[in-house]
Amino acid sequence: MTGYDLVVVGGGPAGVAGALSAAQAGLRVALVDAGPRLGGQYFRHRAGSLPSGRGADRFVRQCRALRTRAELLLDHKVWAVEQGEDSVTVHVMAGQEERPFTLACRSLLIATGAHDRPLPFPGWDLPGVLTAGGAQALLKGEGVPAGRRVVVSGTGPFLLPVAAGLAKAGVSVAGVFEANGPLGLARHPLLAAGKAGEALGYGAALAGHRVPYRTRHAVVAAHGSSRVTHVTVARLDAEWRVLSSRTVECDAVAVGYGFVPQIDLAVQLGCATTHSADGSPVVDVDEGQRTSVASVYAAGEPTGVGGAELAELEGRTAGLTIAHDLASGEGGDPVPGVLRRRGERLRAFARALQEAYPVQPGWQDWLHDDTLVCRCEEVPVSRIREAMDLGATDARSIKLLARPGMGWCQGRICGYAVSCLAGERPQAPRRPIAQPITLGCLERIEDEQPH
Amino acid sequence: MSDVIVIGAGVVGAACAYYAAAAGLDVTVLDRGPVAGGTTGAGEGNVLVSDKEPGPELDLALLSNRLWRELAEHGGFEYEPKGGLVVAETGEVQRQLVELAGKQGVEHTVVPDTELHGYEPHLADGLAGGVFYPQDAQVQPMLAAARLLRHGADSFGHGALRLRTGVTVTGFVRSGERVTGVRTDHGDILADAVVNAAGTWGGQVAALAGVELPILPRRGFILVTEPLREPLIRHKVYTAAYVTNVASDSADLETSAVVEGTPAGSVLIGASRERVGFDRTTSIPVLRRLAAQATALFPVLRNRRVIRSYCGFRPYCPDHLPVIGPDPRAPGLLHACGHEGAGIGLAPATGHLLAQLLSGERTALDLAPFSPGRFA
Amino acid sequence: MSFEITVDGRPVPVVQGQSVGAALHAAGITSWRSTRREGRPRGLFCGIGVCFDCLVTVNGRESQRACLVPASPGDEVTTS
């Protein structure tokens, strides 16, 4: 039961590039993605259209090439992976009916991307408050603007394209509120060289739509009864404590404080993890994108948030390494120097960007006792503090006592905030079941033939 | 200096500390991690009398059952006296269940097949019957341990019960043979007596005192479903095979269906037992078996989703009895560990009896069957 | 290129290729679920299948993430 030479999980820039590189080297490749179209978050696009944005033409070409060279399993969710004697088993649910089956492969590439990293604030669970990535996905993937008058808030360069996209779609963007100071970008020699051009482009686009951009400001509360109707925007000090505040009317909010790499599958396999500059647990990989577990590779955001260009490069690197390792055993370095040097540059840039947009501790002062931290289990911050008072000293024991992270999302949304409240760096998440699976599916996983 | 040091802030350690403080002793509880982060943190919270063979463990369980009801009156943690329903697949098994229930002498009701749905409307058809045990209950064990420690600290005089988390015991302080305290990564702490309530790690703590306790980890997986809006399952429901598996000595994988709802809305599904050391690697074949057994009992669960699974390690002793009492090989050291899968349920009785010992009272139950001396 | 689905019996227009969640949001319906404990309203939040805020029942299949399920003509969506 050898199945495929390579199964790639994730159809964004890293996964597509990895699958294509490996397929071009002659490997038998399958790419699995939960979505209906390739693209991941960065190249998300509407049905019947093509991805747009920087690098999109190249991505479209890669996708076309991949279609003839690899098996694409779209609308397929991976809920678990297992290491066997000489293969990796990928447990998949197919389509809306969620038919369970398994794929066997000699190597696995984890290219599962990242999701938004929100911070709780009073009213953040009101309808109309979306993550920045959620607002972007709704617009890019569905053609639906988050609202008529939208406030964008959080930290990091991702806020700019979100706001610019909304403004371009005719939405009134009531303001972009960046919690960190005035860049960042301009002052940092490395950043100035790289992203400044792109940032200036978005800046000009926002200025053209008369969208105010304020640094050291953030949405610290959302108000409304069944839907957000206005927000409190505060001027912040360097630690993000509130200096003064005012009210801004809006019918939607897009908030994001960076990203959380999705590393559940790597943790299931026991891959070593480390922390990136933004505090996120990430998969530890070598220069060939090899994880600490034989036959398992990771590329893109799971190894550290670095954007689409770096993700694509890491995907290509992984594809080449996998082809090399399968042909001649692991070890050695098949990656051309040019790729490696560009990777080093992009990684240094990503690190600098993460350092330029840190999350400061003052956000904890925005919370009221009854502010929900865990949206699923409806756990307010008071219960988290009570658990700590009872002897919970880390995020895990807080979860055991007060239940944040025990619900539907399994801590994907509140995990970062709970770790901050516990005063620890987020630990690698242990989620043996990466996607909810019905007991009916689970009981018949072995009855289904390998694909 | 405390009168007593308790090693382990799980539910057994918490109960020992609580009852010792209640008896007027000064207690310091040490844990290398947070409160309830070890064996207790992976526990389901069973407070069962139904699964015990007649004998010393059942006596302990009955005492504990009564004490849990008392402790729950303080509030602050979930305690559900919901009862347990043991079901039989065949007439022969039902006959055995009824016979066991008769021998146990525990309050129970024999449930014929025609009345099973009155107890559990969603049970599968075709079962032969069951026995209902009204005393079986469920607690949220982590919160219960934390609340017991807090309640003990608040109720019995200032400073009588101290919790120190993040303190690792590295050895024992001895005066001659006698244990007079513990060495920790935060320095020595002295006491007149030391209680080993380290759960699955109880054998390792005992080894620091140079005594052997044959406590081995027996791994179990639990499936946790999505939170249900309306409870589908009213009681703790399990098949007769569970009783057999609990009492088995096999190191190999054994599974039986144990299904119950929780106040949080999730259904918990167990139980598996296997001796594989402290290996935390998820076994998908085990998860599959648990799913199949649960849906065989409750077909309605087929379209409910599992959102989580986790594993824990029961502190297993070869004779399936906990180790409770003074260790003759190390005077001053007492053990309260090795409760296998019943530690949550047996915790209050364990703490109560140890506190009686520590304060020189006659114990409410004979501790001889649980004596650490049986391994000497 | 558009069609209708019903949400708790009400017709909601869909543009071909949209998810159930996007169609609801576009129709001005921003919440369609209430939480178990406090009955708080929930709709789209993460938009990419991570937060599980947007759960719906589609054609009798419970607990589907509205942001992930593509809408098909005639789909019957019910909410809780």
Side-chain angles (χ1 to χ4, degrees), chain B residues 25-26 28 39 48 76 109 145 161 207 241 244 246 263 265 302 324 334 339 350 364:
Chain B
L25 300 172
D26 275 352
T28 299
T39 313
L48 300 187
T109 309
L161 197 171
T244 328
V246 169
R302 282 213 169 86
I324 305 169
L334 300 90
H339 295 74
T350 303

Side-chain angles (χ1 to χ4, degrees), chain B residues 67-263:
Chain B
L67 294 173
W68 265 125
R69 260 175 285 156
E70 282 175 27
L71 293 172
E73 284 166 19
H74 302 315
F77 61 90
E78 292 162 7
Y79 170 81
E80 289 185 286
K82 60 186 176 187
L85 180 68
V86 193
V87 296
E89 292 95 334
T90 66
E92 170 57 19
V93 172
Q94 173 69 356
R95 196 189 55 71
Q96 290 168 9
L97 282 181
V98 173
E99 188 186 315
L100 173 66
K103 281 195 290 185
Q104 285 168 320
V106 173
E107 193 183 339
H108 68 273
T109 309
V110 173
V111 183
D113 58 348
T114 50
E115 287 173 29
L116 280 173
H117 288 110
Y119 282 82
E120 289 292 345
H122 298 287
L123 259 183
D125 295 328
L127 292 161
V131 178
F132 180 68
Y133 292 80
Q135 290 174 79
D136 280 358
Q138 178 87 9
V139 295
Q140 205 282 38
M142 293 72 85
L143 206 48
R147 290 287 182 191
L148 273 187
L149 287 168
R150 171 53 49 89
H151 191 68
D154 290 346
S155 306
F156 306 117
H158 184 70
L161 197 171
R162 255 182 99 205
L163 169 65
R164 291 183 63 184
T165 53
V167 176
T168 304
V169 171
T170 56
F172 285 88
V173 183
R174 308 293 274 260
S175 167
E177 273 296 282
R178 195 166 176 80
V179 168
T180 56
V182 292
R183 301 196 184 286
T184 78
D185 57 352
H186 285 61
D188 292 355
I189 305 172
L190 301 180
D192 296 312
V194 177
V195 176
N196 169 18
T200 310
W201 295 271
Q204 293 169 20
V205 168
L208 295 174
V211 297
E212 201 208 329
L213 283 189
I215 295 174
L216 294 170
R218 200 174 183 195
R219 185 172 75 176
F221 284 97
I222 304 277
L223 298 175
V224 185
T225 72
E226 63 183 279
L228 307 182
R229 279 190 173 262
E230 278 111 37
L232 287 176
I233 294 156
R234 299 172 179 175
H235 309 97
K236 183 180 186 81
V237 181
Y238 62 90
T239 50
Y242 179 73
V243 187
T244 328
N245 287 352
V246 169
S248 145
D249 295 325
S250 171
D252 297 337
L253 173 66
E254 293 174 331
T255 61
S256 50
V258 182
V259 184
E260 66 196 312
T262 61

